């Protein structure tokens, strides 16, 4: 007997696993490497069936298409955010220009009111 309680050993193992982080995401390069390794190490007397190979290639194709779609969506999001920012800046600039014109008109009206009031006096 090793002198270690099985519950303690299990607890220690759990603590060791607790700090690990696992990445379940598989990119297309890892998938392709796995497929090539599988093909290289298959039994020559009983090779992979056509259906299995076609299914794995279909999965690879789907994965690649989803990644391309994701990249396109990210690019579109960045582009839309840039356009929205420009539109917002243009709206602020036009509102500022309108306010400046209103202020200028207001000052002109005040100036003319003062002129008219001086002639009336």
């Amino acid at each position: 007997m090793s002198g270690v309680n099985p519950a303690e050993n299990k607890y220690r193992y759990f603590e060791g696993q607790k700090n690990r982080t696992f990445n379940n995401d598989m990119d297309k390069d890892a998938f392709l490497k796995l497929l090539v390794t599988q093909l290289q190490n298959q039994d020559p007397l009983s090779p992979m069936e056509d259906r299995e190979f076609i299914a794995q290639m279909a999965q690879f194709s789907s994965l690649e298409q989803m990644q391309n779609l994701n990249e396109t969506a990210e690019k579109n999001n960045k582009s839309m955010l840039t356009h929205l920012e420009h539109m917002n800046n243009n709206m602020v600039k036009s509102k500022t220009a309108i306010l400046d014109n209103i202020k200028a008109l207001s000052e002109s009206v005040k100036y003319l009111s003062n002129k008219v009031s001086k002639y009336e006096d």
Side-chain angles (χ1 to χ4, degrees):
M1 186 168 247
S2 66
V4 176
N5 187 344
E8 289 177 11
N9 190 20
K10 189 174 183 181
Y11 180 73
R12 288 183 189 150
Y13 178 75
F14 178 74
E15 285 296 309
Q17 292 293 323
K18 184 177 168 183
N19 295 331
R20 290 186 185 176
T21 57
F22 294 100
N23 187 1
N24 290 332
D25 296 338
M26 181 184 250
D27 63 348
K28 61 184 176 182
D29 294 330
F31 185 83
L32 194 56
K33 284 180 185 178
L34 182 65
L35 183 61
V36 168
T37 303
Q38 184 179 3
L39 289 173
Q40 289 173 343
N41 295 321
Q42 69 181 343
D43 184 9
L45 299 176
S46 62
M48 183 189 305
E49 290 188 25
D50 291 342
R51 290 183 200 151
E52 291 176 26
F53 184 73
I54 290 171
Q56 288 181 352
M57 290 306 295
Q59 286 177 338
F60 177 73
S61 178
S62 295
L63 173 68
E64 188 174 21
Q65 288 175 358
M66 283 189 287
Q67 286 178 337
N68 291 340
L69 183 63
N70 189 29
E71 289 174 7
T72 303
E74 286 177 6
K75 288 178 185 177
N76 285 342
N77 284 344
K78 288 179 184 177
S79 177
M80 285 178 30
L81 287 174
T82 302
H83 289 300
L84 286 172
E85 184 179 331
H86 289 298
M87 287 173 47
N88 187 27
N89 288 339
N90 287 339
M91 288 175 60
V92 169
K93 287 178 185 177
S94 63
K95 286 181 180 180
T96 303
I98 291 171
L99 286 175
D100 289 343
N101 287 338
I102 290 173
K103 286 179 185 176
L105 284 172
S106 175
E107 290 174 7
S108 297
V109 168
K110 285 180 185 176
Y111 176 76
L112 289 173
S113 293
N114 288 338
K115 287 281 188 179
V116 169
S117 66
K118 283 183 182 178
Y119 286 119
E120 289 179 353
D121 289 337

